[in-house]
Amino acid sequence: MQIRVEKVDYVYNPGTPLEFKALSGIDFVLETGKFLGILGGTGSGKTTLIRHLNGLLTPGCGRVLVDGKDTRKWGPHLRKKVGVVFQRPERQLFEETVFKDISFVLRRFSKLPSEVVRERVRAAAAVLGLNMDEFGTRSPLALSEGEKRRVAIAGILVNEPEVLVLDEPAVGLDPPSLGDLCAFLEEMKQSGDKTVIVVSHDMEPFLHLLDFLMVLDNGRNVAFGEPDNVCRTLEQDPGLRQLLPDMALVLNRLRDAGFEVPAKEFRISVLVEKLIGTVDPTGGSH
């Protein structure tokens, strides 16, 4: 499902003393099955932009096309096609059991038979490593933060969206839970059947997954392209350098020093293995 954003502007509280232009001239195309990272600091316009993708907001100027159709013409059905998992979604868990939480939308707003609902829930939970025989009857409030995050994402996946948007997915996760989330996204990328957008102020854990990286600053798209190229752009811009992930900075330094660092690779384990092969035991490199 292609997403096309054409010269989108958005202003909060227009015509009032609180008027604020949150987006200005945002323009990009994301093809089906691709992974996009949206990087930016607080107030850069990241969350405002993704709210346009599922119709929660509509542009003041410009337009957003999802599968060739203007979001203004989609209606509520768009939110099933473009599933957005907002920051700290586990704080929105409210049902008595994990099963009820994941199945809430299907039970309330679909006419699917109960056995189909159960199978859809089981399938969505399994993608995230949640065994419903173990977790289904448990209270969401009794789960770890990582488990809560997975339940919240399963509650979006159960609707079988074609586009998955994750807003600050790493916030509040411990390293093992973050590792589980990245493994889930890696499997999704290999399948190639969903378009995924990851929104973060810290993109380092997700760089190796991305086909494209966008940088927002004061509501403007200041860089867009393959992650390697965008990271080079960030390093050369004093105003944006603070957004550069540490790993990307290290890799840029290694390349400048003459090491053959693979393009589009940001995983430490893979890089260490490849770099060891370029180091000469006498102290040089080859």
Side-chain angles (χ1 to χ4, degrees):
M1 175 177 281
Q2 185 195 72
I3 292 178
R4 181 180 293 272
V5 177
E6 298 181 344
K7 296 179 171 54
V8 165
D9 290 359
Y10 188 78
V11 178
Y12 286 105
N13 305 309
T16 76
L18 299 177
E19 180 173 304
F20 172 70
K21 192 167 190 178
L23 296 176
S24 180
I26 303 298
D27 200 90
F28 70 92
V29 177
L30 186 63
E31 299 293 346
T32 302
K34 297 299 184 181
F35 274 51
L36 167 67
I38 302 178
L39 174 65
T42 301
S44 60
K46 303 187 302 297
T47 298
T48 300
L49 174 57
I50 63 174
R51 286 178 179 271
H52 280 76
L53 302 183
N54 72 345
L56 288 176
L57 295 177
T58 55
C61 294
R63 62 179 184 166
V64 177
L65 303 177
V66 176
D67 203 22
K69 185 176 180 179
D70 194 308
T71 54
R72 297 178 180 92
K73 299 178 181 179
W74 267 96
H77 186 60
L78 178 59
R79 294 183 188 107
K80 294 183 180 180
K81 292 288 188 179
V82 181
V84 179
V85 183
F86 288 105
Q87 185 175 346
R88 301 303 288 262
E90 60 273 16
R91 292 180 176 176
Q92 300 171 28
L93 301 177
F94 61 92
E95 282 281 13
E96 296 174 352
T97 68
V98 167
F99 172 81
K100 287 184 177 181
D101 227 307
I102 295 175
S103 64
F104 177 78
V105 172
L106 294 183
R107 289 186 293 108
R108 290 290 299 273
F109 302 107
S110 80
K111 297 180 180 179
L112 294 173
S114 59
E115 61 270 19
V116 175
V117 171
R118 284 195 296 270
E119 287 305 311
R120 289 266 293 266
V121 169
R122 187 174 292 274
V127 168
L128 290 146
L130 295 170
N131 184 327
M132 290 305 290
D133 292 335
E134 176 185 354
F135 286 91
T137 59
R138 294 174 62 181
S139 167
L141 301 180
L143 303 180
S144 70
E145 291 302 300
E147 290 167 343
K148 290 177 182 177
R149 183 71 53 90
R150 284 186 278 169
V151 169
I153 296 175
I156 298 295
L157 290 183
V158 77
N159 298 310
E160 299 180 346
E162 295 181 46
V163 179
L164 178 64
V165 183
L166 301 173
D167 186 10
E168 298 287 1
V171 170
L173 291 187
D174 56 27
S177 297
L178 180 56
D180 289 343
L181 174 61
C182 288
F184 154 66
L185 292 175
E186 286 170 5
E187 291 179 6
M188 185 172 287
K189 185 174 180 65
Q190 290 173 6
S191 72
D193 60 353
K194 289 191 189 299
T195 302
V196 175
I197 299 174
V198 177
V199 180
S200 182
H201 68 280
D202 177 13
M203 199 60 68
E204 185 163 320
F206 311 106
L207 277 174
H208 67 286
L209 295 165
L210 303 181
D211 297 295
F212 302 102
L213 179 61
M214 172 192 294
V215 181
L216 293 182
D217 184 52
N218 292 321
R220 296 182 178 276
N221 180 0
V222 295
F224 184 94
E226 294 185 351
D228 269 337
N229 296 333
V230 172
C231 287
R232 279 291 191 183
T233 299
L234 291 176
E235 185 178 11
Q236 295 164 10
D237 188 324
L240 300 174
R241 191 176 294 134
Q242 76 277 7
L243 296 174
L244 182 68
D246 291 339
M247 176 55 66
L249 179 61
V250 170
L251 297 184
N252 287 347
R253 293 287 184 267
L254 288 172
R255 291 189 181 99
D256 292 341
F259 287 90
E260 296 180 3
V261 179
K264 304 179 183 179
E265 183 56 74
F266 296 91
R267 290 170 293 182
I268 293 176
S269 58
V270 175
L271 289 166
V272 168
E273 182 178 343
K274 291 184 178 296
L275 288 172
I276 286 175
T278 70
V279 176
D280 190 317
T282 62
S285 62
H286 60 83

